[in-house]
Amino acid sequence: MLSDQNLYHYSLLSLFLIAPPTFLACQFLTAPYGKHHRPGWGPTISPPLAWFLMESPTLWLTLILFPFGKNYTNPLSLILISPYLFHYTNRTIIYPLKLYFNAYRREIKNGGFPVSIALMAFGFNLLNAYVQARWVSHYAEYDSDEWFWFRFSGGLAVFGGGMVMNVWADKVLVGLKSGGGGYKIPTGGLFEYVSCPNYLGELVEWLGWALMNWSWAGLGFFLYTFANLVPRARFNHEWYLQKFGEDYPRKRKAVIPFLY
């Protein structure tokens, strides 16, 4: 019978193993949702519902697993998991509601998000939520960690800055959709430097998370996020250039200001 420790280690290893093929595959193929929506990927559901369902394991699985960890009563474990839960409360509940009320309410009957993509994202979130929650609640050693508050404070500052970027950029993009009339060029703030400040913000968030918990679990999550979002940002950037032509600012990069 597979022990919990073996299950955790195999799950953690899987997180690292899926990052390189994800990065390679995403160089040639971008997930068909949002501005890259295209037929041929099977049945679809409304984007708000898809986001809610596929992101939900990050909340319910974490809350199920946490009481079974040896660190459950340690306040440091509760403090450490809080930014993770804060991000996914926004991504799982608040963001889909914003999509529904501000952008997709009139179009919800048309669907648009492939169920196949949502299922793949659901599977990843199951894996990652297990790894992150199990590390924080059970395998992390807090009593002997003299650097906890130093790393947590620094990582939290990075995480918080990234989340501000991410939430602000999402608000701008949803606001443009709610105005009708199709896609428009986003402007202002970090949009003056990159096409995807929402992705930049998420990369910064999970870099901060990796610094906070200083573990293979946090590093694996950051690397997978990089493997998934950086290629998609390039596709988004190219899409903007093709759609808007000379009207699109040529100095903008895809996701990393001044570099890429």
Side-chain angles (χ1 to χ4, degrees):
M1 183 177 179
L2 190 66
S3 69
D4 179 79
Q5 189 171 20
N6 285 336
L7 176 61
Y8 174 78
H9 285 304
Y10 287 136
S11 299
L12 177 60
L13 180 61
S14 298
L15 193 59
F16 280 90
L17 290 178
I18 63 176
T22 296
F23 183 76
L24 183 61
C26 288
Q27 299 296 322
F28 306 99
L29 184 68
T30 188
Y33 65 87
K35 57 179 62 68
H36 302 290
H37 174 74
R38 55 191 182 275
W41 287 76
T44 62
I45 57 177
S46 73
L49 180 60
W51 280 104
F52 171 74
L53 293 176
M54 69 188 186
E55 300 288 331
S56 65
T58 58
L59 295 181
W60 58 257
L61 184 57
T62 300
L63 296 176
I64 289 173
L65 289 174
F66 223 77
F68 294 96
K70 67 179 177 65
N71 297 319
Y72 174 57
T73 58
N74 189 324
L76 296 184
S77 70
L78 300 175
I79 290 170
L80 183 56
I81 201 65
S82 295
Y84 176 88
L85 291 174
F86 189 67
H87 169 92
Y88 278 113
T89 297
N90 174 68
R91 182 58 65 197
T92 305
I93 299 174
I94 299 174
Y95 177 69
L97 287 174
K98 287 180 179 178
L99 280 182
Y100 177 73
F101 286 109
N102 295 324
Y104 287 102
R105 184 165 48 182
R106 297 186 303 272
E107 307 168 13
I108 200 166
K109 61 181 181 297
N110 297 324
F113 201 111
V115 173
S116 57
I117 300 299
L119 286 174
M120 285 189 280
F122 182 87
F124 169 77
N125 283 318
L126 275 177
L127 170 68
N128 189 54
Y130 170 76
V131 170
Q132 306 305 319
R134 199 65 179 141
W135 166 260
V136 175
S137 69
H138 190 73
Y139 290 108
E141 295 293 339
Y142 298 101
D143 294 337
S144 59
D145 188 356
E146 298 178 353
W147 293 91
F148 175 85
W149 286 111
F150 176 79
R151 290 197 306 269
F152 179 80
S153 299
L156 183 63
V158 175
F159 183 94
M163 189 163 187
V164 169
M165 289 185 233
N166 181 256
V167 172
W168 172 82
D170 280 344
K171 180 180 179 181
V172 171
L173 293 172
V174 171
L176 289 176
K177 292 175 184 176
S178 66
Y183 283 99
K184 304 177 182 68
I185 299 175
T187 58
L190 282 169
F191 279 110
E192 300 302 319
Y193 301 95
V194 293
S195 295
C196 301
N198 50 333
Y199 294 165
L200 172 61
E202 195 147 347
L203 287 169
V204 173
E205 279 186 82
W206 300 123
L207 175 61
W209 171 252
L211 293 172
M212 271 188 272
N213 62 52
W214 203 251
S215 68
W216 290 111
L219 178 61
F221 188 14
F222 171 71
L223 292 177
Y224 183 86
T225 302
F226 184 95
N228 183 39
L229 293 187
V230 169
R232 186 169 180 84
R234 177 175 63 83
F235 275 107
N236 282 1
H237 183 67
E238 292 173 354
W239 183 92
Y240 278 122
L241 289 171
Q242 291 175 3
K243 181 171 181 62
F244 296 106
E246 294 300 322
D247 292 331
Y248 196 73
R250 295 289 159 169
K251 292 184 178 180
R252 284 189 195 178
K253 300 299 183 180
V255 66
I256 302 175
F258 312 112
L259 294 177
Y260 181 82

